[in-house]
Amino acid sequence: MKLALPLRLIYLYRNLTRNPLRSGLTSAAVALPIMIYVLSMAVVDGFENFLDNSARQLRLAVTQRTSIINPLPEGHRRKIEALDPEKTRLISVCGLRYIGGQRENDPMPLSTLAVDHDTFIASFPEHQLTDEEVDAWLRNKQAIMVGRGTAREMGWKVGDRITIFPSVPPYKLIEFQIVSTLENAQDFVTNWCRRDYLEEELKKYGAPSGNVTFFFVKCASREDLDHFRGAIDAQFAGSLDETRTLDEKTFMNEFVTQQFNLPRNLTILAALTVFVAVMAATNTMSMNFRDRTNEVATLKSLGFGSAFAFSLIQTESLLLCAVGGLVGASVPFVLFTYTPIRNITIPLIQTLEIAPSTCIKAVGMALLIGIVAALWPAWLAVRMKVVSALRSLE
Amino acid sequence: MALPLTYHWRNLFVRKTTTVLTVLVITSVVSVFAYMLGFSESLQHSLSVARDPHKLIVLKSGATAESNSAIPVDEYNKLSQVTNVARDEATGQVLVSPEMMVQVSLPRLRDGGRTNANVAVRGVTLDAFRIHPNIRPLGRIFSTAEREVIVGLAAAQQFAGLQIGDTINLGYGADRAYKVVGHFSADGGPMESEIWGYLPSLMNSYNRTMYSSANLRLADGSDARQIIGQIEGPAIQLAAQTEEEYWESQSRLMKVYLFVAYLLVAIMSLAAVFAIANTMFSVVAGRSRELAMLRTIGFSSAQILLGLVIEAVMLALVGGMLGCVACWAWLQAVGNTKDMFGATTFTTMAFKIQMTPLLIAKALGLVVVVGVIGALVPALRAARMQVVTALREP
């Protein structure tokens, strides 16, 4: 015997509203873990995107072989460039020196790098600078491009003169003029200033100069990336300043996992919360089934098949979890897309962007939870001996 | 007369499926909570050791950590004029420990050497052992004539190649072999993750001419602020901070992660509250006649309320204990050694997550709260039940 679809839907609706408190609590118990799932996955995706973006840039990072804290001589740049004098495969080599720094009387640390100004533009095309910005950068030795997140936080704008106290030699206030707030850069935080200017300041105070923290080498293709990764290290093998060359993705990944393997820990957390949701939903479905054993038995005795009983319990569970999933996915989505919470900054990935695809995945996960949660009670309903179930009617 | 505890305990076994599923929800939540708490407490413990109120760390002003600070010898010498600090009894000179901080990349033992950690290498003179009284060499210390180092216990346990008799390659080009001749304890503080060697030897190996930091001890009864004022004043112009301030700023990043983690645990706990509430509502509904019966034979509604809360707490405690066991088993399986990256030191601090009785007590405290909150509304409903109506129910 079959039940017409409209009747079936009405029956389903009545079942869900029969114990509204229980349905509500179950949906909430599914919604909360889904919320954590969405947040965790958004962070993990953010890291992956960050790394993938690094990989797309076809850049190599060249550091001193034993440790990144050991500087490399700036003269390495010419020797790396000499590996491809035509610049067809090795587009540009940019030396970077870490400055860090902070504003005067402000403990908040800044992320500032001094870079070779002539190759910086070609090495970081993803910054998508305007002609005016490039012009100002090349013309003005004191030029600094600031991350737009940092600019917002510090109240900086283009044209401002700012002073930064570096965390490395010469340890003297250095004055800069902002030429861009990097509106299109992936990186919200980092400030970039000219290395030739830093060198002048270093010489002025007699601090050691002529060193870089690492080089970024922009390659033309993936093959070139692989080729030069080996070629650069081979070039300096046996010298006083041997190098260690990694592609940018590996280089960044080392940084991420050095600090705290957040992506892995969040994945474990997300898996655990899904487990919590499965248990909570299974609990409800088994309570529902127990309360309605005789009802299911009656239905079966009227001629509705086991398949009907099975689908009845499954759809009810699916609906409960779908509601939980929708709420759980939409709350963080709305919070991080339309409210001030979206301005919270997270190291490296900067802002948490909750992609619609993550939400869809989460709702899919909620539906899966619904199916898994109802498996056991639905199976019990299929196997139920009608006669004995009816006999136990109170 | 109160309801006997065995009555509540036995009731948990009446609806086995529901009990098991609810317990599993609690177990998952508590295992995550215990892990996070363990992580944070071990970190706090380690930092609490580095909280010597009589110790000052002097850095170059502007530097954020020992690893990016560079103090020229002539500026260091100015520290000899500081007053109200501990002095060498024999010579009457200011007792000050010049130190150099570099790092070496060593394989982590916990993942079989798949990843490397940046381990701090500190060059010290023999005065360092008087400035840092909690450093206790276990066995002999490095010789001032040979290339020898001693290794903190935490570092020796967590990173490869640091056993007594091993040789590690240090120096700018990682080409100077230093022999590990002893271990030392720092009462579990951050210095226990370091490698110590003789300052002149290490400075030579790393081509350094400047110190990274200088450490002083306050004289009895002197005021840290007053001495910091002297050091930062016009005569010396270096920056000083207490050990506590230094380590607080280094663990800043980790605190952000922990805050997020606790927020997620709070959301999970709320899901657990809903799961318990759901279960208890069903308990109340399923036993309304029984509860009404208890009322008619003289139990007060307060006793019924208390009884149901006790039942929920028992349920939660079982889950809580299993959660602690799960967390312990996880730590046994994947290892309880962890390390944290200083916010600006670029070196790691190793520590161990310990399941202490206090930690277990806190985790169980959380489940009791979750149990009580979850049971409160259903229990109130049961306590307010109309006895006559409930007795009439089928």
Side-chain angles (χ1 to χ4, degrees):
Chain A
M1 199 154 48
K2 280 198 170 153
L3 206 56
L5 190 65
L7 276 178
R8 221 180 138 125
L9 287 176
I10 292 171
Y11 187 40
L12 196 62
Y13 174 74
R14 288 276 162 83
N15 271 341
L16 281 175
T17 48
R18 205 186 289 201
N19 194 335
L21 194 67
R22 182 183 290 172
S23 300
L25 284 173
T26 311
S27 287
V30 173
L32 291 169
I34 288 292
M35 209 144 88
I36 298 182
Y37 176 85
V38 169
L39 290 172
S40 308
M41 286 313 152
V43 174
V44 173
D45 288 348
F47 274 97
E48 301 266 306
N49 282 342
F50 173 81
L51 292 177
D52 286 345
N53 186 59
S54 295
R56 265 197 304 279
Q57 301 307 328
L58 299 177
R59 274 191 296 253
L60 292 168
V62 184
T63 58
Q64 206 263 356
R65 189 172 66 89
T66 49
S67 165
I68 194 169
I69 64 159
N70 291 339
L72 283 170
E74 61 183 4
H76 270 34
R77 177 175 151 183
R78 302 279 165 246
K79 293 178 189 159
I80 298 171
E81 284 172 342
L83 290 172
D84 179 32
E86 278 82 48
K87 295 192 177 173
T88 49
R89 304 174 62 196
L90 199 155
I91 294 170
S92 61
V93 184
C94 184
L96 299 95
R97 185 164 170 154
Y98 170 80
I99 295 183
Q102 57 201 67
R103 290 196 297 180
E104 210 178 1
N105 306 322
D106 179 4
M108 173 79 191
L110 299 170
S111 162
T112 311
L113 289 165
V115 297
D116 291 346
H117 66 283
D118 53 339
T119 48
F120 174 68
I121 313 286
S123 302
F124 294 84
E126 75 269 26
H127 289 167
Q128 298 174 35
L129 300 170
T130 64
D131 291 344
E132 296 83 64
E133 284 170 332
V134 172
D135 191 44
W137 168 257
L138 294 176
R139 208 159 18 83
N140 183 356
K141 215 166 225 191
Q142 291 184 318
I144 188 167
M145 300 191 184
V146 296
R148 61 180 177 285
T150 310
R152 207 175 301 142
E153 203 167 323
M154 304 287 170
W156 291 340
K157 54 186 190 310
V158 173
D160 284 2
R161 288 200 164 272
I162 57 168
T163 50
I164 290 179
F165 203 103
S167 332
V168 294
Y171 303 114
K172 300 282 179 198
L173 275 179
I174 305 182
E175 191 179 344
F176 298 101
Q177 186 168 23
I178 299 175
V179 296
S180 167
T181 47
L182 295 171
E183 293 305 323
N184 300 311
Q186 186 87 9
D187 184 342
F188 275 52
V189 201
T190 307
N191 312 316
W192 314 82
C193 68
R194 286 173 54 153
R195 209 170 63 77
D196 53 350
Y197 178 49
L198 176 72
E199 286 292 308
E200 269 180 20
E201 293 293 301
L202 286 168
K203 283 185 189 130
K204 193 156 83 190
Y205 296 107
S209 57
N211 292 318
V212 299
T213 315
F214 53 94
F215 290 99
F216 265 150
V217 179
K218 176 92 175 167
C219 298
S221 69
R222 188 141 293 283
E223 291 71 47
D224 296 329
L225 197 78
D226 291 335
H227 168 72
F228 288 111
R229 186 168 46 226
I232 293 171
D233 287 348
Q235 164 91 354
F236 298 105
S239 77
L240 265 179
D241 298 284
E242 291 190 282
T243 57
R244 176 167 180 255
T245 306
L246 299 170
D247 61 81
E248 193 177 305
K249 180 172 178 174
T250 317
F251 179 70
M252 291 298 179
N253 195 31
E254 268 192 10
F255 255 126
V256 174
T257 50
Q258 265 281 0
Q259 297 198 26
F260 183 59
N261 203 336
L262 194 67
R264 200 200 58 187
N265 288 319
L266 282 178
T267 310
I268 295 173
L269 185 72
L272 252 177
T273 52
V274 167
F275 176 75
V276 167
V278 170
M279 291 303 124
T282 309
N283 192 10
T284 299
M285 292 321 293
S286 68
M287 288 191 297
N288 278 349
F289 173 69
R290 196 178 36 224
D291 290 356
R292 295 188 219 139
T293 310
N294 41 33
E295 198 178 306
V296 175
T298 313
L299 281 170
K300 282 179 95 170
S301 69
L302 286 174
F304 290 99
S306 291
F308 177 74
F310 186 86
S311 68
L312 197 68
I313 295 175
Q314 276 289 350
T315 38
E316 189 176 332
S317 170
L318 264 177
L319 260 176
L320 267 183
C321 292
V323 172
L326 281 172
V327 173
S330 51
V331 168
F333 180 77
V334 170
L335 284 181
F336 280 92
T337 315
Y338 302 108
T339 69
I341 291 181
R342 68 168 184 266
N343 295 328
I344 292 175
T345 55
I346 296 171
L348 282 184
I349 60 169
Q350 275 86 47
T351 55
L352 198 62
E353 305 225 350
I354 299 189
S357 63
T358 310
C359 297
I360 292 169
K361 239 187 273 174
V363 174
M365 183 58 83
L367 293 178
L368 198 67
I369 291 170
I371 292 172
V372 174
L375 275 181
W376 174 243
W379 175 241
L380 287 180
V382 167
R383 274 198 341 176
M384 182 166 64
K385 297 270 182 296
V386 177
V387 181
S388 53
L390 285 175
R391 204 177 287 145
S392 69
L393 259 180
E394 281 184 39
Chain B
M1 183 177 67
L3 283 161
L5 283 178
T6 47
Y7 165 76
H8 301 301
W9 179 250
R10 290 208 180 150
N11 265 322
L12 296 183
F13 296 95
V14 174
R15 303 175 146 207
K16 289 194 192 69
T17 322
T18 299
T19 302
V20 169
L21 292 169
T22 316
V23 162
L24 281 176
V25 168
I26 311 272
T27 303
S28 324
V29 175
V30 172
S31 57
V32 175
F33 177 71
Y35 185 86
M36 292 317 307
L37 200 64
F39 192 104
S40 126
E41 296 217 326
S42 311
L43 185 64
Q44 294 299 340
H45 168 74
S46 197
L47 293 177
S48 70
V49 176
R51 209 164 268 182
D52 186 341
H54 297 291
K55 203 196 301 183
L56 288 185
I57 299 177
V58 180
L59 300 177
K60 182 79 188 177
S61 30
T64 49
E66 289 179 286
S67 46
N68 60 33
S69 163
I71 304 179
V73 179
D74 57 332
E75 291 187 32
Y76 164 81
N77 287 338
K78 293 180 189 164
L79 289 171
S80 62
Q81 48 186 317
V82 181
T83 55
N84 293 334
V85 293
R87 286 173 182 273
D88 187 326
E89 278 161 23
T91 62
Q93 297 289 313
V94 169
L95 195 57
V96 50
S97 162
E99 295 172 12
M100 180 199 70
M101 175 73 103
V102 285
Q103 51 174 246
V104 59
S105 180
L106 292 175
R108 286 188 175 90
L109 287 172
R110 69 158 181 271
D111 58 8
R114 223 165 26 83
T115 57
N116 278 22
N118 286 333
V119 183
V121 177
R122 189 183 291 273
V124 294
T125 61
L126 299 178
D127 280 340
F129 296 95
R130 297 161 75 188
I131 299 282
H132 307 288
N134 64 341
I135 303 294
R136 280 178 290 108
L138 311 165
R140 63 172 275 224
I141 66 160
F142 50 82
S143 137
T144 55
E146 306 281 337
R147 285 192 188 137
E148 290 178 348
V149 289
I150 55 173
V151 173
L153 278 178
Q157 283 163 6
Q158 299 208 20
F159 310 117
L162 297 178
Q163 297 314 309
I164 293 172
D166 288 349
T167 312
I168 50 169
N169 284 325
L170 300 175
Y172 184 78
D175 51 1
R176 309 278 173 95
Y178 278 77
K179 195 170 170 207
V180 179
V181 295
H183 288 162
F184 64 87
S185 142
D187 297 334
M191 281 184 174
E192 214 170 275
S193 311
E194 299 180 350
I195 298 171
W196 281 25
Y198 190 48
L199 178 72
S201 163
L202 283 170
M203 282 180 75
N204 180 281
S205 296
Y206 280 90
N207 299 336
R208 298 268 177 133
T209 53
M210 294 190 241
Y211 304 133
S212 304
S213 65
N215 287 255
L216 296 161
R217 287 196 75 75
L218 305 185
D220 289 337
S222 59
D223 173 25
R225 290 292 131 210
Q226 189 267 331
I227 295 169
I228 290 173
Q230 284 186 54
I231 295 172
E232 298 188 343
I236 302 177
Q237 295 186 359
L238 288 169
Q241 50 194 324
T242 61
E243 194 177 32
E244 181 174 1
E245 290 164 345
Y246 180 76
W247 284 105
E248 280 302 308
S249 67
Q250 290 309 325
S251 55
R252 186 170 35 83
L253 210 59
M254 193 48 75
K255 296 225 165 102
V256 176
Y257 286 141
L258 284 174
F259 172 77
V260 173
Y262 277 122
L263 197 71
L264 295 181
V265 169
I267 301 179
M268 277 177 96
S269 305
L270 198 59
V273 166
F274 290 152
I276 289 204
N278 214 351
T279 302
M280 293 316 287
F281 271 122
S282 127
V283 162
V284 170
R287 293 211 323 250
S288 51
R289 242 168 38 149
E290 181 183 319
L291 295 171
M293 197 76 81
L294 288 173
R295 290 286 304 280
T296 47
I297 60 174
F299 288 99
S300 70
S301 57
Q303 279 170 325
I304 302 285
L305 184 132
L306 184 70
L308 286 167
V309 171
I310 288 175
E311 223 166 274
V313 168
M314 277 178 166
L315 191 69
L317 276 176
V318 173
M321 284 184 241
L322 284 176
C324 289
V325 171
C327 179
W328 175 83
W330 171 262
L331 288 175
Q332 292 300 310
V334 301
N336 63 347
T337 58
K338 289 279 153 211
D339 53 66
M340 178 204 90
F341 210 55
T344 51
T345 54
F346 291 104
T347 57
T348 44
M349 193 179 110
F351 56 95
K352 272 185 185 171
I353 300 182
Q354 310 274 17
M355 290 285 286
T356 59
L358 183 70
L359 189 143
I360 295 171
K362 282 185 183 172
L364 295 182
L366 173 88
V367 297
V368 169
V369 172
V370 165
V372 170
I373 299 176
L376 218 49
V377 180
L380 273 172
R381 180 183 276 194
R384 279 202 301 247
M385 182 167 60
Q386 294 294 323
V387 178
V388 184
T389 336
L391 281 174
R392 217 177 276 145
E393 269 182 23

